[in-house]
Amino acid sequence: MAAAPKKSWIVASDVADRDRIGIELWIEGDLVLEIFRDDTRRTREVTLYRKEIPLELVEEAIARFKGDIPRDFVD
């Protein structure tokens, strides 16, 4: 049986180009997806960096985002 790929979760912010905070999912050192709350545009966005991502990983990412990132936008 093959070992499960190594996943890393990072809470990240970007204030240089954007006013955002969110989470990133890295698998085996590759960025797979990110979910960010953009306080300037008052949006929440998902960016996928792989063509195909198992639904279970997307659901896990959304749950982590909701648990780790405050829902309210910052003015």
Side-chain angles (χ1 to χ4, degrees):
M1 182 182 300
K6 183 180 179 205
K7 294 188 291 186
S8 300
W9 296 93
I10 297 174
V11 174
S13 64
D14 180 355
V15 293
D17 298 323
R18 308 170 283 188
D19 188 9
R20 302 162 35 125
I21 186 168
I23 62 164
E24 299 174 342
L25 169 58
W26 293 74
I27 296 180
E28 299 293 332
D30 293 323
L31 181 58
V32 174
L33 68 81
E34 65 180 15
I35 305 175
F36 271 91
R37 182 191 77 205
D38 187 319
D39 291 328
T40 301
R41 296 186 333 192
R42 304 182 81 73
T43 61
R44 291 171 192 84
E45 301 171 346
V46 177
T47 303
L48 306 176
Y49 293 97
R50 285 191 182 171
K51 186 174 181 179
E52 296 180 5
I53 299 172
L55 178 60
E56 293 80 14
L57 282 179
V58 175
E59 292 173 332
E60 183 179 357
I62 291 169
R64 283 183 171 262
F65 177 82
K66 288 181 175 182
D68 292 348
I69 306 302
R71 180 164 178 79
D72 296 333
F73 294 105
V74 177
D75 292 323

